[in-house]
Amino acid sequence: MTTMHENRSYFAALIIVALAAPTAALLFVVALVVWLAELMGSIIYPCLIIGLFFALLATIVYKVSLRDTMRELHERIGVIYDVTKTMREAVEWGVRLLFRKVEPPL
């Protein structure tokens, strides 16, 4: 059984990892850009090369693993929209039915 103190230490470790990993990745990319800039003699071209590489990587990850998930999520949201629209129309119909004006008999 874990104690509250152990849970706090796990949480602190997760926070440190969550902060350190992106920082390390960012520093790696900056070092790569600076190194390429030293080789090429310009900062613009390495920034473009690294930026295009990560844009290509993001596109590949999206096409390979996220496209089907996004399509399924889009379909689910469409179903929720349709059900919500139908329920709204039913409520409006019920309100019109219950609160319609009745002409007094003459």
Side-chain angles (χ1 to χ4, degrees), residues 70-83:
M70 295 299 286
R71 186 179 307 133
E72 183 179 320
L73 183 63
H74 186 291
E75 290 173 3
R76 287 183 181 183
I77 290 173
V79 169
I80 291 170
Y81 173 77
D82 292 340
V83 169

Side-chain angles (χ1 to χ4, degrees), residues 16 20 22 26 29 37 41 43 46 55 58 60-61 68 72-73 77 84 101:
I16 290 171
L26 183 64
V29 170
I43 193 73
I60 290 171
V61 167
D68 294 334
E72 183 179 320
L73 183 63
I77 290 173
T84 304
K101 291 186 178 180

Side-chain angles (χ1 to χ4, degrees), residues 66-99:
L66 293 178
R67 179 195 268 174
D68 294 334
T69 304
M70 295 299 286
R71 186 179 307 133
E72 183 179 320
L73 183 63
H74 186 291
E75 290 173 3
R76 287 183 181 183
I77 290 173
V79 169
I80 291 170
Y81 173 77
D82 292 340
V83 169
T84 304
K85 182 179 175 188
T86 304
M87 289 302 297
R88 190 180 97 214
E89 290 172 355
V91 167
E92 288 174 355
W93 177 81
V95 167
R96 281 194 309 269
L97 182 68
L98 291 173
F99 296 108

